[in-house]
Amino acid sequence: MEIKNTTENKEYFEKRSLKKGTVGWVLLVGLGVAYTISGDFSGWNYGIANGGWLGLAVAWFVMGVMYLCTVFGLAELSSAIPTAGAGYGFARSALGRTAGFTTGLALVIEYICAPAAISTFIANYIVSLGIFPGVPSIVFVIAAYVIFVGIHAVGVGEALKLMFVITAVALIALIVFIIGVAPSFNVANLFDIAPDGSFGSSQLLPMGFAGLVACLPYGIWFFLGVEGVPLAAEESADPKRDMPRGLIGAITILACTGFSVLLLAAGVSGAESMGVSDTPLIDALSAVGHGSLSTFLNWAGLAGLIASFFSLMYAGSRQIFALSRAGYLPKFLALTGSRKTPVAALILSALIGIGMVLVMRDGSLILNVAVFGACVSYALMNLSHILLRKKYPNMARGYKTPGGVVTTSIAFVLSCIAIVSTFFVDVVAASCALCVMAVGVVYFTVYAKRHLVTNAPEEEYAALNAAELELR
């Protein structure tokens, strides 16, 4: 088949450009926290039912180390290759076009599936609050997409400022929760699940070593999405300075809030009850007699879900935008409106998300698909950091990872373990994500690979790095 890779003109990129200089490091910290904060309110606690409190605590620590090491690597990569493609752009320079596309596709799976899952949680919250009795939950799902696609289309600066306010409300709610339940904490409540007799089971690990492995994907829920901060690189005021600050600031806040809810929710209500709760923080407050606070937290929990839904839609649209601008996906998806926002990518991600909810009707299943895509992308992005350090040691870097390739090697190994662990929790979800990726790679190999835009930013960075290697 004839290769038709092209070099596009200025007009092509003017129609596919983002508004520069609208995002500072404080908004980037808020964006990183917003991606993830819904995970503090619900979902994480099901890990206790799979492996006990200590199993989930170990998972929080292990996955936290993976994310911390990954974030250090991404801070360096985003300061060296500050494009909207982020993970795809990093892998493109380090591993080539096929791996670059695979990384980008894995991120697209994460950023389309995660908000789709969260939209079902938002609908369930609204139904449980009784705000609109008798209205089917799918109506709330569609309404959420329509409203927030519209807000995103207005402009990135306006959208992220609103997201920042919503995230602040959710953080205040978590602080209120911590203050409300801390006096009633009892360490004995953490270990009230009886051992099930499986290999290695004990009072500390009631489901044994298999339960410990099964907890790992739930440890991811405390951090899922924070790696999306570099997707704002082209809209950042100073990406070489702002990206490291945004990433490291966000992971620090998320580590603190995640461990606080993990420790205190089970410590006041008991691990056994937490493992099956649909609203763990609200149930914990109710268990210690704070009914009024639990009502406030119910509303604030909705704010946390909206913050994550809102920001993950942003991430998905930017990843689709970057892949499309370079020809890896259909080029019309990179078209931006008069406010320089990728409207076509936003609409496509919304339509796919709504379709997934209508077909799968299970937010947890959809979220598990997102987790698999995320883990694949982490492995490839960490491998990209390692190879770029080896291949291009003189690349201009505004920030350098503490520990260098040792740090990202740790993250690479842990992300590979995390990929395996997803099959312990939901083999159907992991298999679905794997099939989508396989179809995507076939599409790239048969068609897209021959229709790329060679002067797209991510392609130009890769070409410059390759030229440097030839001159050495």
Side-chain angles (χ1 to χ4, degrees):
M1 185 181 293
E2 182 183 357
I3 295 178
K4 298 180 180 179
N5 291 344
T6 61
T7 300
E8 297 291 353
N9 59 26
K10 183 179 179 182
E11 183 182 0
Y12 175 89
F13 289 104
E14 284 178 350
K15 293 179 179 179
R16 295 165 176 82
S17 60
L18 302 172
K19 190 174 181 180
K20 300 181 183 301
T22 55
V23 183
W25 73 270
V26 175
L27 279 180
L28 290 175
V29 172
L31 178 62
V33 173
Y35 282 138
T36 307
I37 197 166
S38 63
D40 286 342
F41 286 89
S42 62
W44 59 268
N45 53 299
Y46 299 133
I48 296 177
N50 282 269
W53 183 85
L54 182 61
L56 184 56
V58 171
W60 168 86
F61 177 78
V62 172
M63 293 296 96
V65 169
M66 180 190 77
Y67 272 93
L68 180 63
C69 294
T70 299
V71 159
F72 281 138
L74 292 179
E76 176 180 317
L77 291 173
S78 59
S79 73
I81 307 176
T83 69
Y88 133 64
F90 309 151
R92 168 66 186 92
S93 286
L95 300 164
R97 286 172 168 165
T98 302
F101 173 77
T102 302
T103 304
L105 181 59
L107 288 166
V108 168
I109 290 171
E110 175 188 358
Y111 295 140
I112 287 182
C113 292
I118 293 171
S119 73
T120 68
F121 303 152
I122 291 173
N124 292 339
Y125 255 81
I126 294 174
V127 170
S128 67
L129 288 168
I131 304 173
F132 300 103
V135 178
S137 60
I138 188 62
V139 174
F140 300 125
V141 169
I142 295 171
Y145 273 108
V146 171
I147 291 169
F148 291 113
V149 165
I151 293 173
H152 274 297
V154 170
V156 63
E158 295 82 355
L160 292 188
K161 286 172 185 174
L162 177 59
M163 176 276 304
F164 192 86
V165 172
I166 297 171
T167 304
V169 171
L171 281 172
I172 290 169
L174 290 175
I175 293 170
V176 169
F177 167 78
I178 291 167
I179 294 172
V181 301
S184 303
F185 174 78
N186 184 346
V187 69
N189 290 331
L190 303 176
F191 307 105
D192 64 353
I193 301 176
D196 66 359
S198 58
F199 178 72
S201 65
S202 65
Q203 199 66 42
L204 295 178
L205 290 174
M207 291 78 173
F209 296 123
L212 178 60
V213 175
C215 279
L216 291 178
Y218 294 97
I220 289 172
W221 286 20
F222 290 107
F223 306 98
L224 181 69
V226 69
E227 78 287 345
V229 171
L231 290 164
E234 289 186 30
E235 294 157 291
S236 171
D238 184 356
K240 290 183 181 297
R241 182 195 66 174
D242 293 342
M243 284 298 147
R245 289 183 178 184
L247 280 160
I248 295 169
I251 195 73
T252 301
I253 293 171
L254 292 168
C256 294
T257 59
F259 187 72
S260 294
V261 299
L262 168 62
L263 180 69
L264 295 174
V268 299
S269 294
E272 187 171 16
S273 64
M274 276 295 100
V276 296
S277 173
D278 291 328
T279 53
L281 305 194
I282 295 169
D283 289 348
L285 280 170
S286 298
V288 297
H290 289 305
S292 58
L293 287 182
S294 64
T295 301
F296 165 72
L297 199 72
N298 206 349
W299 284 95
L302 182 58
L305 290 170
I306 289 172
S308 291
F309 176 79
F310 195 49
S311 55
L312 287 163
M313 281 187 65
Y314 169 89
S317 67
R318 268 52 182 183
Q319 190 66 75
I320 293 171
F321 163 83
L323 287 166
S324 304
R325 180 177 60 183
Y328 289 79
L329 293 176
K331 295 174 185 177
F332 78 90
L333 293 173
L335 291 171
T336 52
S338 60
R339 304 301 296 268
K340 294 302 178 183
T341 53
V343 178
L346 283 163
I347 292 173
L348 177 68
S349 61
L351 291 175
I352 295 175
I354 292 169
M356 291 183 69
V357 173
L358 286 170
V359 172
M360 300 176 76
R361 297 184 177 275
D362 185 344
S364 296
L365 175 62
I366 299 172
L367 193 55
N368 286 334
V369 176
V371 168
F372 181 87
C375 292
V376 171
S377 73
Y378 301 156
L380 291 170
M381 287 190 291
N382 282 299
L383 182 59
S384 297
H385 176 269
I386 295 166
L387 293 179
L388 285 173
R389 272 291 189 98
K390 298 289 186 183
K391 291 167 65 176
Y392 310 119
N394 298 323
M395 177 190 290
R397 294 168 169 88
Y399 171 88
K400 289 195 175 181
T401 303
V405 297
V406 173
T407 299
T408 43
S409 294
I410 292 170
F412 174 71
V413 171
L414 291 177
S415 58
C416 290
I417 293 171
I419 292 171
V420 174
S421 74
T422 60
F423 288 92
F424 281 74
V425 174
D426 195 333
V427 68
V428 173
S431 299
C432 286
L434 198 58
C435 287
V436 171
M437 292 187 67
V439 171
V441 171
V442 170
Y443 161 79
F444 171 74
T445 304
V446 172
Y447 178 79
K449 188 176 181 179
R450 295 170 172 81
H451 298 81
L452 300 180
V453 178
T454 57
N455 60 331
E458 295 81 8
E459 296 297 304
E460 287 191 332
Y461 271 106
L464 286 171
N465 290 329
E468 178 198 327
L469 188 62
E470 290 179 4
L471 292 172
R472 286 167 56 191

